Amino acid sequence: MFSKIMVPVDLVHKDTLSKALDVAGDMAKRHGASIDVVSVGGELPGQLGHTPQEFGDRLQGFADELRDKYGVTVKADPLMAHDPAVETNSELMKAIEKTGADLVIMASHKPGFLEHIFSSHGGYIAQHAQCSVFVVR
């Protein structure tokens, strides 16, 4: 049913991703799918690396951990943006096309007041993606 699962991650908050990652690992095993872990980083030094290469290396390490944990193929796709806070949604939409994902599994938080005014990343992707989207709270 699914062959390519894309999982957007924010490594700064990787401790909150376990439910979504478990769902992705289970779905990948069940359907014989591969997982593309994507993360949007900035071109300037930040918490996750001083260079885009360091950011990519950290994401690759995370992907390797997931591969070992779930026993499925996991690829790291670091995405670079001038302003990740503004460009995350558009970069994720481009990544869906680039990876050929037929399922996106995203972690999300319980919606609050601001989500009634501004869509969350998960809400935006679910509303605009041409593939299936599973938002996990």
Side-chain angles (χ1 to χ4, degrees):
M1 178 176 248
F2 299 110
S3 62
K4 182 76 80 163
I5 300 171
M6 186 178 102
V7 182
V9 298
D10 181 351
L11 294 179
V12 171
H13 303 290
K14 70 180 180 179
D15 56 321
T16 65
L17 303 173
S18 62
K19 279 176 72 175
L21 294 171
D22 287 346
V23 169
D26 182 58
M27 293 289 279
K29 278 185 192 176
R30 183 178 309 250
H31 297 283
S34 62
I35 297 175
D36 277 86
V37 178
V38 300
S39 188
V40 180
E43 295 171 354
L44 297 175
Q47 281 181 281
L48 299 173
H50 293 92
T51 65
Q53 180 65 42
E54 282 183 28
F55 175 75
D57 291 345
R58 184 161 295 188
L59 185 62
Q60 183 61 56
F62 184 71
D64 292 343
E65 290 173 18
L66 296 179
R67 180 198 64 225
D68 295 342
K69 180 176 182 177
Y70 298 110
V72 298
T73 302
V74 182
K75 179 182 173 203
D77 286 314
L79 310 171
M80 304 314 295
H82 294 292
D83 188 352
V86 173
E87 299 175 60
T88 294
N89 289 338
S90 63
E91 289 299 320
L92 292 177
M93 291 299 294
K94 289 179 203 172
I96 292 169
E97 295 296 319
K98 177 184 160 205
T99 63
D102 51 9
L103 174 63
V104 176
I105 298 177
M106 295 185 73
S108 187
H109 56 282
K110 185 177 176 182
F113 174 74
L114 283 179
E115 280 75 26
H116 294 287
I117 300 169
F118 303 105
S119 181
S120 65
H121 297 301
Y124 181 89
I125 299 303
Q127 198 171 26
H128 294 91
Q130 298 298 308
C131 65
S132 297
V133 178
F134 190 158
V135 178
V136 180
R137 288 197 179 111

